[in-house]
Amino acid sequence: MTQKPDQASASHTAKRNHFKKADRLATQAIKVNSPKQIMSAHSEDLRALMLALYESHPEELSKSAQVGPREMTEWVFDGKFGWRFDGLQRLQDQQALALLFDEQFQGDHVLALVVGLETSLFHGYGAENEFAIPAEQDTSRLQTLVCTLRDFQKRYHGLMSGSKPVPMLQEAASQQLVSSALDSILQRIPVVTTQPCP
C-alpha cells in the first residue's frame, strides 16, 4: 500500500518530532544524572548496605560503638569526620578496603567496607568528599574506578571460601548484599569507554 504525498509528509513530520522529543528527553536525562547526583545515589546504596549489614551482624557494630545500626549509619554518613575514623587507622579508599583482607585486623569490617567504597567513589569522581563532585569528569579516572571496584568484587567473593573466621565476610546473605550494592554502583558509573580492565 503506498502513501499519498500528504500522508508521507505527515508521517515524516511525526517521526522527526518523535526523534526531536527523544533527543530532548535524553538531554534532560543527562542533566538529571549529573556526577554529583550519581554520587548521591551511590551514597544511598552504601548507606542502605551499611544499615543492613549492621542489622545482621551486630558483632561488627559493637567493635565501633554501643549504638544501634541506624544511629551508627547516620553518624558515619552525616558526621563531621571527613571519612577518617580512628578504628580504621584513619585509612580511606583502597587502604581501608585492604583491611577486609588483613587477618590481623580485628576492627569493624562493615565500617572498613563502607568507608573504603565511599571514599574510592568520591576520589574516582575527582573529589575529596562526596559533596564537591566536579561537573566535568575524567573518563580515564572513572575507568580506573570501575576496574578497581570489579577487582575488589572478585577478591571479596574469594573470601567466602577462605579461612578468615569473620561471619560477615563468609555468610552468603552478606555476600549477596555487597554484590548487589556493587552491581548497582557499577551500572551507574558513567564510563564512556569500555576498555578491558588490566
Side-chain angles (χ1 to χ4, degrees):
M1 180 172 168
T2 59
Q3 290 183 323
K4 294 179 182 175
D6 57 340
Q7 287 177 322
S9 177
S11 174
H12 178 71
T13 301
K15 286 180 183 174
R16 189 174 65 234
N17 288 341
H18 170 76
F19 288 120
K20 281 184 182 177
K21 183 178 180 183
D23 287 344
R24 190 171 58 249
L25 290 174
T27 301
Q28 288 172 349
I30 290 168
K31 289 178 185 172
V32 169
N33 291 323
S34 70
K36 192 169 184 176
Q37 289 169 320
I38 293 170
M39 184 63 218
S40 178
H42 294 329
S43 294
E44 288 306 310
D45 283 345
L46 292 176
R47 188 184 289 256
L49 175 64
M50 179 174 244
L51 181 60
L53 288 174
Y54 275 144
E55 285 174 343
S56 48
H57 295 286
E59 74 279 2
E60 293 297 327
L61 175 58
S62 67
K63 296 174 185 178
S64 286
Q66 298 302 313
V67 297
R70 188 168 303 279
E71 187 178 352
M72 179 65 176
T73 301
E74 289 172 3
W75 181 74
V76 169
F77 279 87
D78 302 327
K80 307 294 182 206
F81 305 99
W83 292 94
R84 294 197 181 275
F85 298 93
D86 291 338
L88 302 180
Q89 302 147 23
R90 303 180 59 79
L91 298 174
Q92 292 186 331
D93 210 322
Q94 299 306 303
Q95 292 176 318
L97 289 173
L99 293 174
L100 292 167
F101 307 100
D102 181 356
E103 295 197 15
Q104 302 302 311
F105 179 64
Q106 299 297 313
D108 182 344
H109 292 85
V110 175
L111 185 63
L113 172 69
V114 172
V115 168
L117 290 174
E118 178 79 2
T119 55
S120 291
L121 283 163
F122 63 66
H123 292 155
Y125 280 88
E128 287 303 310
N129 62 56
E130 66 274 35
F131 306 110
I133 306 296
E136 294 297 320
Q137 294 296 291
D138 179 339
T139 54
S140 64
R141 185 187 281 256
L142 288 176
Q143 181 66 37
T144 299
L145 172 63
V146 166
C147 291
T148 298
L149 292 176
R150 285 186 180 146
D151 179 61
F152 169 74
Q153 197 169 31
K154 287 178 193 166
R155 289 186 71 200
Y156 185 81
H157 282 293
L159 286 173
M160 190 165 205
S161 59
S163 60
K164 192 166 186 182
V166 178
M168 187 201 90
L169 300 178
Q170 295 185 334
E171 185 184 81
S174 297
Q175 292 252 338
Q176 181 57 43
L177 284 169
V178 174
S179 182
S180 179
L182 282 169
D183 286 344
S184 177
I185 287 166
L186 283 163
Q187 288 172 6
R188 199 181 292 121
I189 296 174
V191 176
V192 178
T193 60
T194 54
Q195 14 176 330
C197 295

